[in-house]
């Protein structure tokens, strides 16, 4: 039997307080939601006195780095005379400082076949016409083998219109500066087929930096104009590697077959 300890009432500990029942906040009166189809007396919204805010500390604006400056240029002209004149006075890249003259393009201004090379060499810079040196003479013979010539059926242009010093390959920024001119030439000639002569031309037209050996096996399209493109070696390559001429002949036959296809 346990002992019950008696404690006097006035010495007993205070009773634990009643638990407080939380009262859910009263829901918004439904009438406050306006029915857009029924006219209702507008319910005045209570005036809300904004609490004073601590003064905002001004934050110094971090200035964004300036974008690289691209010189403002007129869009390429869309008729032959104006485009030729625009190219002749172009100073969009450093190549204009060392050129004798610009080398615009040659051939038929409306042609099914357009050839694109990389840029003028020494002879072209002196004469103002593309492909007039040793590689150009070979190109003329190749074209003749499939019944074409710059005098009667093709248009020829380069990715860049000014000679890169020492016949180096044009830099990407130089090709970019000239791109609008080449695209305008393509839009004016409206060829059925473009042939890219060498890797620089292929990259300039297709934006693909792959070896010609791979590109010549694929089928390509010049994006801005939607014109089919065949990639082949630059004629200068056959001057250096005459045993590769067989590939050039295979490509010429493909070009001829492509041009014979119905549009
Ligand atoms: N090589 C080119 O790519 N273009 C020319 O005009 C001459 C040589």
């Amino acid at each position: 039997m346990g002992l019950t300890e008696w404690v006097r009432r006035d010495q007993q500990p205070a009773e634990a307080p009643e638990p407080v029942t939380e009262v859910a906040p009263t829901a918004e009166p439904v009438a406050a939601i306006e029915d857009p189809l029924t006219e209702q007396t507008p319910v005045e919204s209570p005036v809300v006195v904004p609490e004073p805010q601590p003064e905002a500390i001004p934050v110094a604006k971090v200035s964004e780095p300036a974008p690289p400056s691209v010189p403002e240029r007129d869009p390429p002209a869309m008729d032959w005379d104006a485009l030729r004149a625009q190219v002749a006075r172009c100073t969009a890249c450093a190549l204009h400082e060392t050129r004798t003259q610009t080398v615009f393009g040659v051939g038929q201004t409306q042609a099914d076949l357009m050839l694109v090379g990389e840029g003028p060499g020494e002879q072209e810079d002196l004469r103002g016409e593309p492909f007039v040196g040793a590689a150009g003479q070979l190109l003329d013979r190749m074209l003749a083998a499939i019944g074409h010539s710059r005098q009667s059926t093709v248009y020829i242009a380069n990715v860049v219109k000014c000679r890169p010093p020492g016949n180096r390959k044009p830099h990407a920024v130089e090709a970019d500066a000239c791109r609008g001119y080449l695209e305008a030439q393509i839009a004016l000639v409206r060829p059925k087929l473009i042939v890219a002569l060498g890797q620089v031309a292929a990259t300039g037209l297709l934006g693909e930096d792959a070896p010609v050996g791979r590109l010549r096996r694929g089928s390509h399209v010049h994006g801005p104009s939607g014109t089919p493109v065949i990639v082949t070696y630059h004629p200068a390559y056959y001057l250096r590697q005459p045993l590769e001429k067989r590939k050039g002949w295979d490509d010429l036959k493909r070009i001829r077959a492509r041009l014979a296809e119905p549009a």
Side-chain angles (χ1 to χ4, degrees):
M1 223 164 90
L3 287 176
T4 306
E5 194 185 344
W6 290 95
V7 181
R8 273 178 42 189
R9 195 179 282 270
D10 59 347
Q11 287 176 356
Q12 280 179 6
E15 271 180 22
E18 279 276 298
V20 180
T21 318
E22 270 195 13
V23 180
T26 328
E28 277 279 296
V30 176
I33 303 164
E34 268 184 39
D35 175 354
L37 299 177
T38 325
E39 261 189 36
Q40 285 179 345
T41 325
V43 179
E44 273 196 15
S45 45
V47 178
V48 180
V49 181
E51 276 188 22
Q53 296 290 318
E55 233 174 67
I57 302 160
V59 178
K61 257 199 169 180
V62 180
S63 55
E64 305 235 321
S69 72
V70 178
E72 283 279 316
R73 290 172 58 198
D74 291 337
M78 273 307 182
D79 78 79
W80 281 114
D81 288 344
L83 184 62
R84 183 184 281 275
Q86 198 180 12
V87 169
R89 58 173 189 270
C90 181
T91 55
C93 77
L95 293 184
H96 80 276
E97 290 164 9
T98 47
R99 73 185 176 210
T100 303
Q101 59 190 312
T102 53
V103 178
F104 180 67
V106 70
Q108 301 309 298
T109 51
Q110 294 245 288
D112 279 356
L113 178 57
M114 177 162 172
L115 305 181
V116 178
E118 72 179 52
E122 186 182 17
Q123 293 303 310
E124 290 78 17
D125 173 68
L126 292 172
R127 301 247 313 259
E129 182 175 328
F131 284 100
V132 290
Q137 288 160 25
L138 175 57
L139 180 64
D140 283 345
R141 293 199 295 279
M142 291 165 70
L143 285 173
I146 54 166
H148 288 278
S149 75
R150 66 178 77 196
Q151 290 81 18
S152 58
T153 52
V154 307
Y155 189 79
I156 306 176
N158 281 309
V159 167
V160 295
K161 315 300 188 207
C162 300
R163 180 192 180 201
N167 291 357
R168 65 161 168 76
K169 288 186 187 311
H171 297 317
V173 45
E174 295 157 356
D176 287 347
C178 247
R179 176 158 293 112
Y181 300 139
L182 180 61
E183 280 172 7
Q185 286 173 304
I186 293 169
L188 289 165
V189 174
R190 297 202 286 123
K192 197 169 159 186
L193 178 66
I194 299 172
V195 174
L197 300 167
Q199 198 194 358
V200 171
T203 306
L205 287 163
L206 306 172
E208 270 186 68
D209 194 9
V212 175
R214 170 133 49 92
L215 292 174
R216 64 186 281 273
R217 289 194 293 267
S219 60
H220 312 276
V221 172
H222 172 246
S225 65
T227 314
V229 175
I230 285 182
V231 178
T232 186
Y233 289 105
H234 193 284
Y237 174 71
Y238 302 120
L239 293 176
R240 293 193 304 270
Q241 308 280 340
L243 294 179
E244 293 285 83
K245 280 186 182 167
R246 173 90 230 169
K247 292 179 182 163
W249 178 233
D250 288 345
D251 292 348
L252 285 172
K253 285 189 287 182
R254 277 198 306 138
I255 293 164
R256 184 173 58 188
R258 192 65 189 257
L259 289 170
E261 283 174 15

